[in-house]
Amino acid sequence: MRSRKSWQYATTTALAVSSAVLWADHRVAHAQAVAEQPQRPAHKATLPKGRVTTTRTQTTQIRTAQNTALQTTPTQGTIAPPQDRPATVRNGTNRAVAATSVENVGVQGQRQANWVVTPVTAATIANYAPGTNALKALTSLPGVMYNSADPQGLNLWGQSFLMHGFDQTQIGMTLDGMPLGNQFWSNSNGLSPSAAISSENIARMEVSASAGSEGAASTSNLGGTVQFVSRDPSHKAGGTVRQTFGSNSLFHTFVRADSGDLNRQGTRFYVSYMRNDTDKWRGGQDQFMQQVNAKLLHPIGEQSKLTAFFNYADESMQNYQDYNMDMFYHGGYHIDNLAGTRNGYETAYRLALASKGLPGGAVPAAYQKLASPYTASFYDGAGNQRQYFGGVNADLALTSRLRWSTTFYGHRSWEVGTVTSPLIASPNGAPFVEQATMPSTRRFGLLSSLTYTIANNEINGGVWYENTKFIADKRAYEEPLLSDVLSGAASPVDGMNLNSPYQTEYKQVFNTNTFVAYIQDTYHPLPSVALHFGFRSVLNNTRVGALANWETYTRTDAIAGGDGINTVKPFLPHISGQWSFLPGHQIYFDVANNVKVLPVAGYNGGASPFATTQAAYESSAASLTSETDWNYAVGYRYTSRLISGNVYAYHTDFSNRLQQISTGSPNNPYTAIRNVGGVTMNGVDAGFVLRPVKGLQLASSISYDHATYSDNVTSTTTAGIVTYGVKGQQVVAYPRLMYKGQLSYRWRDAEVHADTQFIGQRNLSYTGDEKVPSYWLTNVGARYDLTPLLNRGKARGIIQNASLVFNVYNITNQRYIATMGQNGFPMQGDYQSVVLGAPRQYFGSIQADF
């Protein structure tokens, strides 16, 4: 592990949390179409997968994309990412063409019908401070909610992503078609998008709030999909530099080098490096991340290509302490873990003594009003990970009508999550121990699909296979005596400084095989009408083995092991269609049945049947059924030069919802996995974008989601059988009402913008007796384009794009609850399982492309 460098950096950088900003109708289409840079039509370099559509299909796609712009408009950025020059001539051959030649040609066979997909481009991501989690760029979409403990959203423990009542573990996520898994903190079959690719290298995100695509490589896409597409290497050699400074000594550096075309075929690559280092906004120590991305593209003939992508990510972060509502109301806004603070080890040591009623114990004055002061702060709570992820894709035109796309991918990860637990004493007599959860993953997989175009049909089918080995491992480390630390004879053990463990608390190994096959057809009976039908089949098997069990920690003589569970769903249908009936008007519908396979997690690690005791596993395995749902959606869009608007209505019948029910201490809870029955969701999103004069844009949207449990929950407790009145309660963590608004104005080379969002009241407990209050979050920013100023005289042509950005996050300094449920949710009452949102933050950055 690394320690923070002693030198500090100046403050101020740009967290451009604005969503809104397109200046004219043609710019909307341009920002969607040119997510990266112009590409040569001969090689169709912008196609990650799939084939160039027929003239009829391409016309429909472009028309659809223009209509889709009204749904996308609130998320588009003002200043698009740097583009290649329109053309480069070599040996008399034009090496690039206008961007419109590749407009809206997407991934065939890996994406949902495009009328239910909202593209969010690199132009939107560029509005945020470099390094910000790309999921944050989706927050201006209606029905989408992203929360994090830090302004950039890089701390994985403190983040959450929800869409139309579904959380991040129920939404499929892929990168260039490769699966990113179920998005648990200790993701057993994938990794977070921010750990998979630097946000500066994302060309676009394709978001479906409906059922998700048949071809999406996910077994958790109950509530839709988010498909990330990486930028292609540029045809022109050059480089990119982003340097950001900000509050809490934030220092973010991103550099990328593009090779340009290396030969007549257009072979090219890029390599990038990102480094992000910042202090926490409360508590001690820092948060560090570095990342390397590389991508190679080799065209084959006129219509085919090979691509390879590689990612390495290294994170060392001190987590923010979890709060409960009692702490929020009575403990102030700055309680945190104590590592890295003045006399932090002594304070934590004496607090742990006090929790056991031992001599020398003391409770800090700020904690004395709390109902549970002894777990309000721990000495340490950290998260570290190292990720290797990548794949090779062959996208081949076998004939003029038949295309074959195949991807091989692999992933290796190691993670460490630590907490200093006062529930167990160290062997030397220290009143607490350092506990480290150490999950590791090794997986590989294959995706292969064929697309055949005939008459008015585009038929696509494919398979996906993945094998995953996941090890859940938790260890205990002895903390030193206080006298030894004060005398300098020993140093505290924390997440950045681990020695040899004295005990393995538990260890489980999981082996999972996943097989998915699908087929789909999009039929165009008329140029203005498209109908889609498809289905997928899912087979998933997981076997678990228990390798270690320390009863002092697990409080049981056996944890889940020695058995397996199958999920088999042979027919999951999907039907959709769209009709463009007048200029600018479009209606569409979408109906699908989907499944989430039973998730994998180590003991107490999530809502998994394997995360419990052997007795609980045996009693529940036969009755636990995979979560399934039926999604129904209908939408209307209108687009004109002056105004764009949309209405999206949906209904979901969700069956067998599994939840992690937690009681006791958050660092060693009593966890039960319960089927809380069905959930019925009815919701509507409505929004508009107004462009009254050149440079001015106003956007507004509102979302209403009535998502309630259909059944009460009965549980056996020490007091007997208890029935909890869950029926009719809004689902936990997701608000019934959200509002979002954006205002932006551009004049010449300057731009100012502001955005605000209202997040309504949310349930912390299933019975709804404990709620998290609503909040408003407002951000403002300004950008100035330096390109005309710098491209003068002899410097002309050296710098392609340059800009200065200044932004303020949470300008009203709102105190609010961000993420919820990272330790699970209680059936009723309060629970230490929420994360505070960051206060006002200032950021500034300089960006240049050469």
Side-chain angles (χ1 to χ4, degrees):
M1 304 302 173
R2 68 184 53 71
S3 60
R4 180 175 175 81
K5 293 189 175 182
S6 57
W7 47 275
Q8 300 292 322
Y9 308 105
T11 59
T12 16
T13 177
L15 184 59
V17 198
S18 155
S19 9
V21 288
L22 271 143
W23 311 118
D25 220 349
H26 73 278
R27 194 163 177 83
V28 176
H30 177 78
Q32 275 186 269
V34 193
E36 218 311 272
Q37 63 265 339
Q39 305 291 335
R40 296 177 299 162
H43 300 120
K44 297 299 179 277
T46 56
L47 285 172
K49 294 183 176 64
R51 69 183 303 278
V52 179
T53 58
T54 63
T55 301
R56 175 191 294 268
T57 304
Q58 189 174 28
T59 301
T60 303
Q61 280 187 317
I62 293 173
R63 183 189 302 113
T64 299
Q66 290 169 343
N67 289 333
T68 303
L70 66 89
Q71 197 171 13
T72 308
T73 297
T75 70
Q76 298 308 310
T78 313
I79 300 176
Q83 313 293 332
D84 275 349
R85 290 187 177 278
T88 302
V89 178
R90 182 180 297 172
N91 298 327
T93 303
N94 191 340
R95 306 292 287 178
V97 295
T100 53
S101 66
V102 293
E103 224 173 56
N104 301 296
V105 181
V107 182
Q108 303 300 316
Q110 295 297 327
R111 59 181 293 187
Q112 193 169 0
N114 60 0
W115 49 85
V116 292
V117 168
T118 302
V120 177
T121 70
T124 303
I125 301 171
N127 270 347
Y128 292 75
T132 296
N133 192 321
L135 288 173
K136 201 166 222 179
L138 304 180
T139 55
S140 54
L141 290 176
V144 174
M145 183 172 67
Y146 177 83
N147 289 302
S148 62
D150 61 308
Q152 290 179 292
L154 295 182
N155 183 270
L156 301 183
W157 178 254
Q159 69 160 356
S160 63
F161 178 79
L162 299 98
M163 183 163 62
H164 288 169
F166 293 94
D167 66 39
Q168 62 201 35
T169 69
Q170 299 160 332
I171 297 169
M173 296 189 189
T174 65
L175 170 61
D176 291 344
M178 299 179 290
L180 298 181
N182 60 26
Q183 299 303 307
F184 277 134
W185 172 78
S186 57
N187 194 337
S188 62
N189 62 350
L191 67 167
S192 167
S194 64
I197 185 172
S198 297
S199 60
E200 294 91 341
N201 289 328
I202 296 174
R204 68 182 183 275
M205 297 175 285
E206 297 183 346
V207 184
S208 169
S210 296
S213 168
E214 295 96 308
S218 171
T219 52
S220 58
N221 54 329
L222 289 171
T225 57
V226 180
Q227 301 186 72
F228 297 83
V229 179
S230 65
R231 72 180 290 275
D232 281 341
S234 299
H235 289 287
K236 179 177 169 30
T240 295
V241 177
R242 304 279 190 268
Q243 186 60 64
T244 305
F245 306 90
S247 296
N248 309 305
S249 301
L250 172 72
F251 188 86
H252 175 89
T253 302
F254 176 82
V255 293
R256 180 176 60 224
D258 274 277
S259 69
D261 288 346
L262 300 175
N263 51 33
R264 292 180 60 84
Q265 288 88 355
T267 303
R268 56 201 188 272
F269 70 88
Y270 67 75
V271 178
S272 69
Y273 173 76
M274 183 276 287
R275 181 183 187 276
N276 199 91
D277 195 2
T278 180
D279 289 341
K280 294 168 62 182
W281 62 265
R282 76 177 199 270
Q285 298 191 320
D286 66 355
Q287 297 183 323
F288 175 88
M289 180 179 180
Q290 61 182 348
Q291 190 168 31
V292 175
N293 289 164
K295 187 173 182 178
L296 171 71
L297 188 153
H298 175 67
I300 302 174
E302 296 296 318
Q303 299 281 332
S304 304
K305 65 176 181 176
L306 292 174
T307 56
F309 176 81
F310 171 78
N311 169 78
Y312 164 75
D314 176 26
E315 297 186 12
S316 298
M317 297 189 180
Q318 284 288 333
N319 296 325
Y320 292 93
Q321 171 64 303
D322 306 315
Y323 263 53
N324 56 28
M325 299 313 297
D326 178 59
M327 294 170 64
F328 182 68
Y329 291 123
H330 303 116
Y333 208 67
H334 292 276
I335 291 177
D336 201 47
N337 295 323
L338 298 164
T341 64
R342 184 179 180 183
N343 301 322
Y345 189 76
E346 180 176 1
T347 301
Y349 197 98
R350 297 192 183 283
L351 186 59
L353 289 174
S355 70
K356 296 175 171 58
L358 297 174
V363 176
Y367 297 20
Q368 291 178 1
K369 294 181 179 180
L370 301 179
S372 302
Y374 307 115
T375 57
S377 288
F378 303 121
Y379 174 66
D380 167 69
N384 305 289
Q385 64 171 304
R386 191 164 72 253
Q387 305 278 1
Y388 298 87
F389 177 63
V392 178
N393 169 258
D395 183 23
L396 308 174
L398 303 181
T399 71
S400 61
R401 294 182 178 273
L402 182 64
R403 192 167 199 90
W404 179 33
S405 179
T406 296
T407 300
F408 293 95
Y409 65 90
H411 175 214
R412 192 74 171 94
S413 76
W414 294 266
E415 298 179 54
V416 179
T418 61
V419 66
T420 310
S421 171
L423 301 180
I424 303 173
S426 290
N428 62 1
F432 44 32
V433 298
E434 187 74 4
Q435 294 179 319
T437 304
M438 297 182 169
S440 63
T441 301
R442 183 236 60 201
R443 65 186 178 121
F444 61 87
L446 165 71
L447 297 141
S448 188
S449 67
L450 287 168
T451 302
Y452 184 64
T453 302
I454 183 171
N456 297 326
N457 295 272
E458 187 176 83
I459 304 169
N460 171 258
V463 295
W464 166 42
Y465 170 76
E466 179 177 283
N467 174 264
T468 303
K469 181 181 180 180
F470 174 68
I471 298 175
D473 185 356
K474 192 161 190 172
R475 304 175 187 179
Y477 297 78
E478 183 178 74
E479 288 285 5
L481 295 172
L482 179 59
S483 57
D484 291 337
V485 173
L486 295 178
S487 67
S491 297
V493 177
D494 60 36
M496 306 302 171
N497 302 281
L498 294 175
N499 47 32
S500 299
Y502 75 88
Q503 183 69 52
T504 297
E505 297 184 335
Y506 71 82
K507 188 173 185 179
Q508 293 167 287
V509 59
F510 303 84
N511 191 280
T512 301
N513 288 285
T514 299
F515 180 80
V516 175
Y518 71 93
I519 189 167
Q520 57 187 348
D521 177 31
T522 301
Y523 172 60
H524 297 268
L526 298 170
S528 61
V529 176
L531 299 173
H532 174 92
F533 174 77
F535 73 92
R536 68 194 324 230
S537 300
V538 176
L539 172 63
N540 176 270
N541 170 265
T542 295
R543 296 196 64 84
V544 57
L547 304 183
N549 174 42
W550 187 36
E551 293 186 31
T552 302
Y553 170 74
T554 64
R555 297 157 295 182
T556 181
D557 59 357
I559 58 176
D563 206 346
I565 294 180
N566 293 325
T567 299
V568 182
K569 292 293 180 180
F571 185 72
L572 297 168
H574 181 196
I575 304 171
S576 61
Q578 66 91 18
W579 177 33
S580 299
F581 56 95
L582 288 172
H585 295 265
Q586 184 187 67
I587 58 174
Y588 64 91
F589 72 91
D590 191 66
V591 179
N593 180 210
N594 242 319
V595 65
K596 176 185 175 182
V597 302
L598 290 169
V600 171
Y603 186 75
N604 276 352
S608 166
F610 305 107
T612 59
T613 67
Q614 179 67 18
Y617 170 81
E618 291 175 351
S619 65
S620 64
S623 60
L624 285 180
T625 304
S626 297
E627 296 178 333
T628 60
D629 67 0
W630 279 94
N631 284 296
Y632 309 86
V634 61
Y636 165 79
R637 302 185 181 106
Y638 172 73
T639 305
S640 69
R641 179 170 298 277
L642 175 64
I643 189 171
S644 302
N646 70 79
V647 178
Y648 174 88
Y650 59 93
H651 170 82
T652 300
D653 292 317
F654 189 176
S655 303
N656 306 309
R657 183 159 183 157
L658 302 182
Q659 291 290 353
Q660 177 184 354
I661 312 298
S662 301
T663 57
S665 171
N667 64 13
N668 190 14
Y670 290 92
T671 295
I673 310 305
R674 297 278 172 77
N675 184 333
V676 296
V679 175
T680 300
M681 285 191 280
N682 293 288
V684 62
D685 301 333
F688 71 88
V689 180
L690 182 65
R691 297 171 286 272
V693 296
K694 181 180 179 181
L696 177 64
Q697 180 168 287
L698 305 169
S700 183
S701 69
I702 190 167
S703 302
Y704 178 80
D705 178 271
H706 188 270
T708 58
Y709 298 107
S710 304
D711 308 281
N712 290 327
V713 175
T714 300
S715 176
T716 301
T717 68
T718 55
I721 297 177
V722 177
T723 298
Y724 296 97
V726 170
K727 184 177 181 179
Q729 290 294 324
Q730 179 77 2
V731 298
V732 294
Y734 194 77
R736 189 156 286 181
L737 182 66
M738 286 192 288
Y739 168 80
K740 299 173 182 181
Q742 299 90 29
L743 167 67
S744 58
Y745 180 68
R746 183 175 183 179
W747 183 73
R748 296 185 179 178
D749 297 324
E751 167 203 334
V752 293
H753 50 79
D755 73 89
T756 188
Q757 61 176 333
F758 170 80
I759 304 297
Q761 193 178 64
R762 293 168 285 168
N763 282 348
L764 174 60
S765 64
Y766 289 100
T767 59
D769 66 326
E770 191 69 61
K771 299 181 184 294
V772 165
S774 60
Y775 67 90
W776 286 88
L777 186 64
T778 304
N779 315 282
V780 299
R783 179 189 295 262
Y784 187 79
D785 187 1
L786 298 173
T787 310
L789 179 66
L790 298 176
N791 271 329
R792 295 180 178 178
K794 295 181 179 180
R796 183 181 299 276
I798 297 177
I799 298 178
Q800 304 299 313
N801 293 277
S803 60
L804 286 174
V805 183
F806 178 77
N807 270 68
V808 184
Y809 171 82
N810 190 6
I811 190 171
T812 61
N813 205 29
Q814 174 81 51
R815 295 190 172 190
Y816 67 100
I817 298 295
T819 299
M820 299 174 60
Q822 65 277 13
N823 293 313
F825 297 93
M827 288 305 304
Q828 64 183 19
D830 198 1
Y831 193 60
Q832 194 169 345
S833 192
V834 301
V835 172
L836 300 183
R840 184 188 299 120
Q841 306 278 282
Y842 300 93
F843 302 92
S845 65
I846 184 167
Q847 308 173 0
D849 300 278
F850 303 93

